[in-house]
Amino acid sequence: MKENHLMKAMVLRGPGELALDDVALPRLGAGQVLVRVTHSGVCGTDLKIFNGQIPVRYPLIMGHEMIGVVVEGASNDGIRTGDRVVIDPFFNCGICFHCRVGQTSLCPNGVLAGRDVNGGFAEYCAAPASHVFRLPDSIDNRTAALLQVMTTCLHAQRLAKPALDESVVVLGLGVTGQLHVQLAKAAGAHPVIGVSRSSFKNELARKLGADSTLLAGQDVADKILETTHGRGADLIIETTGMIASLPDAIRMVRAGGRILMFGIITAKQGALPFYQLYFKELVLINARAAKGEDFQSSIDLVDRGTVHLKPLITHVTPLEELKTAIGMLDSNVDDRLKIVMDHT
Ligand SMILES: [Zn+2]
Ligand SMILES: [Zn+2]
C-alpha cells in the first residue's frame, strides 16, 4: 500500500468549493476492497451536490460512476487484487425488509458513494466486495465508466418491460435517452422513436438503432399518433426530468399504455392533465437507481455488442478539471453527452 497513507482527491468543502487536495486513504471496513480509480463519469447528481441542491455533509468526495483496479482486499466469490472492476455505488444493507425481498435499490439504510459517503473522484475508493463487478477485456476503461448509468436504465426497463413489437417513444436523447433507445431495441420494440431538440443527438440515436427521430417542439404528439395507428405509443420513456414534458407524454401514449418517468423530477408542483390519466387508464412507472443484478447484465450486454457506450462519450478530461467538467453540465450544449474523468 502507499507508504504515506495519503491520496489525491477532489474535495468538496461547501457548495461550489471544490479543489484538489491530499487526504487520508479510505480505511477498509470488513468485507471491503480498495479500488485504485482510473476513470469516472460526471452526472447531473454531481452538479446538484456541487451547488448545494442536494444537501450533504462536508467535506465530501463526490463521484458515483467509477471503475478501477482492486489493490487490496478480496472476496469469497473470486474478486482478486489486480482485477479491473466497476463499482456499484449504492451500498445497500442486505438485511432490511427491502433487501430481503429483493428491492435492494430501495434499501432505507443504503448509502450512495459520492453523496452519503466518500466516492470516486479520487485516487482510491473503498467499496464492499459484494459491490464490485469484474470487467472483461472487451470493455476499455473510459467506456466502462458509463456502465453505472446504464444499470439505472436497465433497472428502469426491467420495470417498464418494453416488449416485442411495442411502440416506444424516448423523450430526450442525452446519455440515458440513448441508452433507453438501445435497450428498447434490444427488447424487440418497434418502432422506437427518439425525440430531442438536438439534431446531433437525433442523428446519433438513429445510428444506435432508433427507427426514427423527431425534433422536439410542435407537432411531436400528432406525429407520434400518426405513426402508431392513431392510437398512441405503447410506452413513453421520459428522460428529461421536466414536468412540462409529461402532458405531452400523456397525450402521445395510447389508452392502457405506460409512461416510464425516468428523468428525476425535483419540482414539487406542476400542472398535469389528471383526468387523462384516469380516462386512458395509464400506468406511471418510476425507477430509482439500480440493483446488483443490473451490473452483470449491463457488462454482458456491452461485451456482446448489444449496447454501445463508446459513442456516448464526448469529453475526456483529467480529474483535476472536475470543476470545469461540472460547470459544463450547467450549460445547455447540444453536442455534449458524457464527460469522463481520467485519473491516470
Ligand atoms: Zn450518475
Ligand atoms: Zn437494506
Side-chain angles (χ1 to χ4, degrees):
M1 226 27 292
K2 295 190 76 193
E3 255 120 68
N4 55 6
H5 300 286
L6 286 178
M7 67 169 184
K8 297 265 182 231
M10 294 301 298
V11 181
L12 186 69
R13 302 209 173 272
E17 278 179 60
L18 180 67
L20 188 70
D21 213 342
D22 286 315
V23 298
L25 272 178
R27 237 177 303 154
L28 291 193
Q32 288 199 322
V33 295
L34 189 67
V35 175
R36 181 171 56 77
V37 183
T38 62
H39 293 79
S40 57
V42 186
C43 93
T45 300
D46 300 312
L47 172 62
K48 286 184 191 142
I49 295 171
F50 171 77
N51 64 24
Q53 254 179 288
I54 295 177
V56 293
R57 262 184 277 168
Y58 306 102
L60 176 76
I61 301 170
M62 299 184 292
H64 55 273
E65 305 177 1
M66 56 280 189
I67 67 119
V69 178
V70 174
V71 293
E72 201 181 319
S75 79
N76 302 332
D77 59 353
I79 291 291
R80 284 183 224 297
T81 303
D83 282 347
R84 288 172 64 236
V85 294
V86 55
I87 298 176
D88 171 358
F90 187 66
F91 306 157
N92 60 299
C93 79
I95 53 171
C96 73
F97 168 82
H98 286 93
C99 286
R100 283 169 189 251
V101 300
Q103 296 174 341
T104 51
S105 64
L106 303 182
C107 172
N109 310 316
V111 290
L112 181 70
R115 186 189 63 197
D116 311 316
V117 295
N118 281 338
F121 293 143
E123 265 186 284
Y124 296 91
C125 181
S130 55
H131 285 61
V132 301
F133 298 83
R134 199 181 295 117
L135 294 166
D137 293 340
S138 64
I139 307 178
D140 66 59
N141 285 348
R142 287 178 177 188
T143 308
L146 276 84
L147 281 166
Q148 190 274 340
V149 191
M150 179 180 167
T151 62
T152 63
C153 298
L154 181 59
H155 172 62
Q157 289 214 6
R158 287 198 210 268
L159 297 174
K161 300 186 177 74
L164 190 65
D165 210 36
E166 276 198 318
S167 49
V168 174
V169 175
V170 180
L171 298 176
L173 294 172
V175 173
T176 59
Q178 303 283 348
L179 287 165
H180 278 298
V181 163
Q182 297 185 67
L183 289 168
K185 283 311 290 182
H190 184 91
V192 174
I193 305 166
V195 181
S196 164
R197 56 183 164 67
S198 151
S199 39
F200 162 79
K201 290 175 183 171
N202 277 350
E203 198 184 316
L204 179 60
R206 290 196 301 275
K207 268 188 214 153
L208 294 174
D211 296 293
S212 63
T213 53
L214 293 167
L215 277 175
Q218 291 146 326
D219 302 340
V220 167
D222 291 334
K223 283 180 183 145
I224 298 291
L225 290 172
E226 257 167 53
T227 44
T228 52
H229 311 286
R231 285 198 297 264
D234 297 301
L235 171 64
I236 311 286
I237 301 177
E238 203 301 308
T239 73
T240 71
M242 290 186 292
I243 284 185
S245 173
L246 285 176
D248 281 342
I250 291 167
R251 203 175 145 222
M252 62 179 85
V253 69
R254 74 166 168 86
R258 292 122 49 220
I259 298 174
L260 171 58
M261 294 167 60
F262 184 82
I264 301 169
I265 297 175
T266 46
K268 295 195 177 89
Q269 289 184 11
L272 284 185
F274 290 104
Y275 184 74
Q276 288 296 311
L277 292 177
Y278 151 80
F279 193 75
K280 292 176 96 171
E281 209 172 71
L282 298 182
V283 178
L284 300 185
I285 301 156
N286 284 272
R288 185 177 126 197
K291 303 204 270 185
E293 68 203 37
D294 302 311
F295 278 80
Q296 193 56 56
S297 293
S298 293
I299 291 167
D300 292 344
L301 284 163
V302 176
D303 184 34
R304 289 202 298 273
T306 306
V307 171
H308 299 278
L309 299 179
K310 201 179 277 236
L312 309 184
I313 303 170
T314 52
H315 299 76
V316 180
T317 68
L319 179 63
E320 299 80 55
E321 306 288 319
L322 180 62
K323 199 168 174 174
T324 312
I326 290 176
M328 287 166 72
L329 297 181
D330 222 354
S331 58
N332 276 329
V333 186
D334 275 356
D335 55 359
R336 190 203 64 240
L337 288 166
K338 197 67 175 176
I339 306 170
V340 170
M341 310 309 296
D342 187 339
H343 300 223
T344 56

